[in-house]
Amino acid sequence: MGLFTKKPMHLLLEEAGDSAKGLKRTLSAGALVALGVGAIIGAGLFVRTAAAAAQNAGPSVTIGFIIAAIGCALAGLCYAELSSSIPISGSAYTYTYATMGELMAWVIGWDLVLEYAVGAATVGIAWSEYLNKLLVEVLHTSPIPYEWCHSPFQSHPDGTVNGIINLPALFIVGLLSLLLIKGTSESAFVNGLIVITKVSIVILIIILGWGFIHEANHHPYIPKATTYVDHAGISHSFGGFWGVLGAAGTVFFAFIGFDAVSTAAQETKNPKTAMPIGILGSLAVCTVLYILFAHVLTGIAPVEFFRTKGGEASVVAAISEYMTGYGWLAKLVTVAILAGFSSVILVMLLGQSRVFYSMSKDGLLPKMFSDLHPKFKTPYKANLVILVIVGLFAAFIPGDVVGDMTSIGTLFAFMLVCIAVIILRKTDPDLPRQFRTPWVPLIPILGVVTCGLMILGLGWTNWLRLFGWLALGFIIYFGYSKKNSHLKDSK
């Protein structure tokens, strides 16, 4: 069997139709939209918006959001076609297997670990930090002792104490993993409650903050092209074309997650119509909220504020300083961020377990990853292994280690999904397509170009980490996966 042998389409469609032995179909189109919004609105909106305004684009960060949204929408149209045609768990991994062969499928499956597992761990660490903010600033109680909410590789700024283990991060990863084992519909219900909470708070900020916009903060809307050097000595293109493009790459992180909707295809009641609605619907909702939110935030406070006083908690700081009488709203933002982080972790863990489930069904990972719970019909062993992996990372590794690896991994996956649509239109033109991407190959090509431009905005260190990660993946593939692949038995 060659490295580029494709998984036959009839096998994929047989798996999609064999729902009696597989995952339970419990999700509606509305639940998928909520899953997408749950994954998208999180750290990106509340942290990356201010960072992009400070470092790259000033008030024109809104244009950066539009560019990032266009890139995601182009990829989203391709995801919608593939997920409605091949309604199988596994997302980009499954689509690549059907169009580009096993080696590329392994590459993208391994690459998705960066987006889902590493992303979940990183957000878990941020959840721990904001839990302390909630305890101190909202509930006015003592914070969790430093040593019990930081990794062993971190020490207090005053040098008096070292971290031992990040227990809150481990707790939230464990709690949400157990919820996923209990069932996807239960997880979707909890996610829906969280989504209602955080979207309501985002809308409150937009409505109440609109009256505090100072037009002077929006002039010039696109700053003159210069270079901004941050406190760490790193140079950023600020203003002009490259500044806006840099902002797009920065805020792209805020859109990561909508593709996780496609990993739940095998658990959706009517995937051929629900998947496009879930993917494109969640993107549309979040894009509108993001643009309005960025417009209000950059109108409330000047760029210099985000460079100096703002920092990680820029939204809370801006409300506290510039929206007199709305201190309660700043506290609600802390609650929204915690809720946002929780739903992001939930959907990332869901996506990772379903990718591992699909890879295991194909023999590229051990069989245990596709074993279903006899009662709950969820891949519980995969969830438990992912709990251990993500939990160890969250408990013992500092959150800034992975940098922008999550973004580069996701952009790479988006590009391959766009290419997969073009290939599948040529190789299997008669495949029933409930949703068809318009203007093929133009839309997929534009998706590849837009995502490629955003990748160019990421530093060489992230490319180096990506290549190192892929090298580890090749060792596993040639050492285990290639020899155990089920494709060689189906020839």
Side-chain angles (χ1 to χ4, degrees), residues 288-340:
V288 171
L289 290 176
Y290 278 13
I291 292 169
L292 292 174
F293 182 87
H295 182 76
V296 169
L297 186 66
T298 54
I300 290 173
V303 170
E304 200 57 39
F305 173 82
F306 299 122
R307 291 178 174 176
T308 53
K309 296 181 181 178
E312 285 282 302
S314 282
V315 178
V316 174
I319 293 171
S320 299
E321 183 150 338
Y322 293 99
M323 291 179 63
T324 307
Y326 286 96
W328 58 269
L329 184 59
K331 293 179 179 179
L332 273 182
V333 170
T334 304
V335 175
I337 291 173
L338 262 182

Side-chain angles (χ1 to χ4, degrees), residues 41-258:
I41 297 182
L45 179 63
F46 295 107
V47 178
R48 291 298 180 109
T49 304
Q55 298 171 358
N56 303 110
S60 61
V61 66
T62 51
I63 302 174
F65 269 122
I66 293 170
I67 294 171
I70 290 170
C72 290
L74 293 169
L77 287 167
C78 296
Y79 266 103
E81 174 170 324
L82 293 174
S83 63
S84 65
S85 307
I86 315 170
I88 296 286
S89 290
S91 184
Y93 159 77
T94 300
Y95 313 146
T96 306
Y97 211 161
T99 55
M100 297 179 220
E102 185 171 280
L103 181 62
M104 288 304 295
W106 170 264
V107 168
I108 204 64
W110 187 244
D111 180 59
L112 286 173
V113 177
L114 283 180
E115 178 180 356
Y116 296 141
V118 176
T122 307
V123 178
I125 295 164
W127 188 93
S128 174
E129 294 174 6
Y130 271 88
L131 178 64
N132 267 338
K133 285 182 180 291
L134 179 74
L135 292 173
V136 174
E137 298 171 11
V138 179
L139 302 178
H140 305 294
T141 60
S142 300
I144 297 166
Y146 185 92
E147 60 268 30
W148 301 116
C149 58
H150 289 84
S151 89
F153 302 99
Q154 294 173 292
S155 57
H156 197 278
D158 62 14
T160 56
V161 62
N162 287 324
I164 297 174
I165 183 174
N166 195 331
L167 286 177
L170 180 60
F171 166 77
I172 192 63
V173 169
L175 180 66
L176 295 175
S177 294
L178 293 176
L179 178 61
L180 283 170
I181 290 171
K182 177 69 171 63
T184 308
S185 59
E186 290 85 353
S187 302
F189 175 75
V190 173
N191 177 71
L193 294 178
I194 295 173
V195 166
I196 291 169
T197 302
K198 64 182 178 181
V199 169
S200 299
I201 294 172
V202 170
I203 292 172
L204 262 181
I205 294 170
I206 293 169
I207 293 172
L208 298 177
W210 203 275
F212 289 86
I213 292 175
H214 295 281
E215 290 301 320
N217 292 333
H218 281 159
H219 294 289
Y221 204 76
I222 302 178
K224 184 180 177 181
T226 56
T227 300
Y228 167 65
V229 180
D230 64 22
H231 65 278
I234 299 172
S235 297
H236 304 269
S237 295
F238 182 81
F241 173 79
W242 287 107
V244 173
L245 199 61
T250 299
V251 300
F252 172 78
F253 180 83
F255 284 98
I256 288 176
F258 80 87

